[in-house]
Every structure is written in C-alpha cells, then in structure tokens.
Amino acid sequence: DISGLRNLQRVDRRARDLIRFTQAMFCGTVPSLFASRAFLERRGIDMAADPPEEFRWRGEGCPGPTKAVMSDGRVFKGTYNELWDENPWTTQFRCKICPDAIGLCADLAVGDDWPGGLPQGEDDGWNAVIAHTVNGLRILDACEEAGDLTLLDVDVRHLDSVQPHHVRLRQGLSTRLAACAAAGLPEPEFHDLALDDCAAAFGADKRDQEYQGTLRRLMAGHGDEDQLADYGAAVQQQLEDQ
Ligand code: SF4
C-alpha cells in the first residue's frame, strides 16, 4: 500500500504535501476464511449455518487469543499458534509475489517480535519497530519522549530471527517471479528491493525447489485469484527444511 502511495507522491504534489507520515505493518498476508472456519469446526460449529457475532484473530493481549463470540453468548477461545502454526491455512497467490510485505517504503514499519516467528505465550506487548526515514525516527523519538513507547535498540539482523518467514519470502521472491514469467503471467517491474542479493542468500538448491514448486502451483491454477495457495503449509515446510 505504501509503495502505491510513494508512486502517487512522485507525480502528485498534493500527495506529497498532505501525507506527512506513513506507517506499515509486516504483513502476514490476507488469508482466506479457511483457518477461521476450521477453528470453529474443531469446536463443533458450522460457520455458514451459525456465524459468530464476533471473531478476533488476535488482540486483547499480545498476541491475545483467537476468539469467537456466538449469538447465544458462548465464547470459544484458542491460541495464535493453534490458528496459524498447528493447522493449515490458505491465502491469495498475490501474497506469494508481494514486493514489499515488510513496509520498506514506509517511514515506520512494525512487526511481531517473537523468537522463531511464533509467540511463546503472551508477552507485554513488545513489537519490532523499524524507522526507515529521518521522519520515522523523529516520530519514534517523540513517542518515547512522551512516554508512549519504551524503545530498546537492537541490531537490524535481529529481524532475521523474529521474522524468519519474511526472510524466506524475500529470498524466494525473484525466483517465484521468474516462475510466473515462465508460466506466461504478466511480469511486474520491481526496483530497489535488493532482490538479487536476497536470491543469492537463498542458495541454488532452494531456488530450484522454489521455482519448481511455484511452477507446479501455477500449473494447478493457483495463480488465479479465485484459487487459494497452500501458503501456510509451504512456508512451514520451508522453515522445517532450514
Ligand atoms: S499482497 Fe503483500 S501487502 Fe498485500 S496482503 Fe498480501 S502480503 Fe500483505
């Protein structure tokens, strides 16, 4: 989203003048309702026949529970890990070729800060915050001065350990794009994303696996938006292979 805004700001003075600050979160994709439906099914609820009045994927804590409130007052809760780690989920193919799911173009980018990329239980609300611009840094400093944030400086490589799935996604991005091009999909142009460096860090074997895997998914129709990619399972497998 911020990339689109930056493109607009290149050509639109009002966008430059009026939008003074941008913040993005590390995006975990927009999943389908598959995981939510399955969460309810494990509790004996058919979401289509008996939809919850309220459903929270997280919140009310860090990360907080997955929570469904039914019209008759019943409340079902589960953990973040049950929803996103212990069971399969699906998402859109576009998220597999997302050029910037970590807010590189934003003044500030924020993300979860859990060792290995998964919560070890509830924590006190710690997050990773990255200032990409002087503007972002000034805002962070102002928040700290106002007592709204407590900041701890860490090396940027800390992100590798708390966001390993984004490391893998970026390392494999140019390979997935190459597979898309080979399958005849339109080729987007991305600049300044250090994708060649990311791909080099991936290694030839993994690039080959990624290429073949993406081609197989595309041939099975997963590149169409009305289809779903088995994103979660694939990433889990990749992480296990590390
Ligand atoms: S395309 Fe990128 S930013 Fe958009 S939902 Fe998917 S991962 Fe997130």
Side-chain angles (χ1 to χ4, degrees):
D1 296 347
I2 308 293
S3 313
L5 178 62
R6 294 303 190 210
N7 283 340
L8 178 66
Q9 286 180 317
R10 284 200 193 118
V11 297
D12 187 327
R13 173 180 290 277
R14 287 183 73 239
R16 287 196 295 277
D17 290 346
L18 298 177
I19 302 171
R20 303 291 181 85
F21 167 68
T22 57
Q23 179 171 319
M25 63 176 184
F26 280 35
C27 180
T29 82
V30 173
S32 71
L33 285 176
F34 177 91
S36 311
R37 196 177 294 123
F39 173 88
L40 290 169
E41 278 169 5
R42 288 193 290 276
R43 287 151 178 88
I45 304 292
D46 177 347
M47 192 165 87
D50 189 10
E53 280 198 340
E54 178 189 331
F55 195 95
R56 286 176 172 272
W57 290 267
R58 61 186 292 178
E60 300 181 341
C62 186
T66 305
K67 177 178 162 189
V69 181
M70 310 304 292
S71 55
D72 60 7
R74 284 174 299 164
V75 176
F76 298 103
K77 288 186 180 178
T79 63
Y80 181 98
N81 289 4
E82 178 199 336
L83 199 65
W84 302 121
D85 184 47
E86 294 158 13
N87 291 284
W89 50 285
T90 58
T91 193
Q92 312 164 87
F93 181 77
R94 73 178 70 179
C95 298
K96 296 176 75 73
I97 53 169
C98 177
D100 182 14
I102 56 172
L104 291 171
C105 296
D107 292 303
L108 284 184
V110 298
D112 292 318
D113 193 298
W114 298 317
L118 283 170
Q120 316 292 311
E122 291 292 311
D123 68 40
D124 293 332
W126 292 102
N127 282 107
V129 188
I130 301 99
H132 287 297
T133 64
V134 172
N135 192 27
L137 195 56
R138 284 195 188 120
I139 286 176
L140 267 189
D141 288 342
C143 290
E144 187 178 36
E145 211 172 294
D148 294 330
L149 283 179
T150 300
L151 297 176
L152 299 176
D153 285 338
V154 290
D155 189 274
V156 72
R157 299 244 63 119
H158 170 75
L159 292 173
D160 293 352
S161 63
V162 296
Q163 293 282 340
H165 40 299
H166 275 299
V167 174
R168 294 297 298 249
L169 284 170
R170 272 175 63 68
Q171 287 180 339
L173 179 55
S174 61
T175 304
R176 287 192 295 280
L177 290 172
C180 289
L185 265 68
E187 223 175 326
E189 270 186 42
F190 298 137
H191 301 285
D192 302 330
L193 289 175
L195 294 185
D196 290 343
D197 291 341
C198 291
F202 206 29
D205 287 351
K206 286 179 183 163
R207 282 201 300 273
D208 187 50
Q209 282 172 16
E210 193 80 12
Y211 186 84
Q212 299 301 336
T214 304
L215 269 187
R216 274 198 300 277
R217 287 194 180 86
L218 289 172
M219 295 307 173
H222 290 189
D224 301 328
E225 283 300 328
D226 57 353
Q227 299 279 338
L228 299 168
D230 57 341
Y231 175 90
V235 170
Q236 290 302 332
Q237 188 59 54
Q238 287 172 3
L239 290 173
E240 282 166 20
D241 290 345
Q242 269 187 331

